[in-house]
Amino acid sequence: MLLQAAVFSLGTVGALAHAVVKTPTPRKPGALSEELCGAAVSTVLNRDLAGPIENAVKVADADYNCNAYVCRGYQYEDNEASLHTYQAGDVVDFHIDLVAGHRPGYANVSVIDPANNVVLGSPLKTWEEWPINSTNPIQDDVDFNITIPESLASICTEGGKCAIQWYWYAIGGPQTYESCVDFVIGA
């Protein structure tokens, strides 16, 4: 029992993990996300940073006042120090930590307005089936890049207005996984 408590406190729950963005630095949980999402939802989300959002939503109680399906409920205000600055046309490398790909589905990378839960423009990358091979994914499943769109140069000028969202929907569960990378397009 002591070992389980130690593993839980370190956030290392590998058997439950599925997939999460590792590079660039994504949004992480913080005090505001815990306040808005409530302790029950936050505990589940924080226990497995790569776990499906549905596991957290099913324990939602009266304290749940966030949208866990937007950046896992993680708030920009908790992550201002991780704001990335890019230029239009920059190529951004991503690495996904695929811990368990036992339920294929589809995936995409889009720029979103997290405050309004709106996709800005077209997806930057899509996979009709992700991961293609769950036991040995092709490199493009876990290491890929996207290009920062010129069309968003006048929109993504202030922290919190735009986030690059990696989204995977595993059909067999169904299970939803996402990570958000906050960014601005600099001058």
Side-chain angles (χ1 to χ4, degrees), residues 16-176:
L16 299 175
H18 292 89
V20 65
V21 169
K22 286 293 186 182
T23 306
T25 304
R27 278 190 188 185
K28 303 262 194 276
L32 184 57
S33 64
E34 183 167 349
E35 177 185 326
L36 292 175
C37 295
V41 169
S42 294
T43 297
V44 174
L45 289 172
N46 297 345
R47 179 177 55 220
D48 184 5
L49 298 177
I53 296 167
E54 287 79 4
N55 288 353
V57 172
K58 71 182 176 188
V59 301
D61 57 19
D63 294 333
Y64 178 69
N65 191 28
C66 74
N67 185 346
Y69 289 97
V70 177
C71 302
R72 293 178 59 88
Y74 302 158
Q75 303 298 308
Y76 170 72
E77 293 80 1
D78 291 327
N79 291 277
E80 291 181 52
S82 297
L83 182 66
H84 300 270
T85 301
Y86 301 121
Q87 303 299 318
D90 279 357
V91 174
V92 181
D93 293 325
F94 273 74
H95 174 71
I96 307 297
D97 184 10
L98 177 61
V99 180
H102 56 273
R103 293 197 168 144
Y106 57 87
N108 66 62
V109 178
S110 300
V111 174
I112 65 166
D113 168 353
N116 297 303
N117 192 19
V118 175
V119 174
L120 302 173
S122 300
L124 306 177
K125 186 159 185 72
T126 60
W127 295 264
E128 289 182 25
E129 184 178 346
W130 195 95
I132 291 174
N133 181 333
S134 61
T135 57
N136 188 21
I138 62 170
Q139 199 61 34
D140 188 49
D141 284 348
V142 295
D143 291 305
F144 58 88
N145 61 55
I146 56 96
T147 302
I148 301 296
E150 178 72 41
S151 62
L152 299 178
S154 64
I155 298 170
C156 301
T157 58
E158 186 179 318
K161 286 190 171 187
C162 296
I164 302 167
Q165 178 182 262
W166 172 80
Y167 174 91
W168 171 31
Y169 183 74
I171 297 167
Q175 295 177 334
T176 307

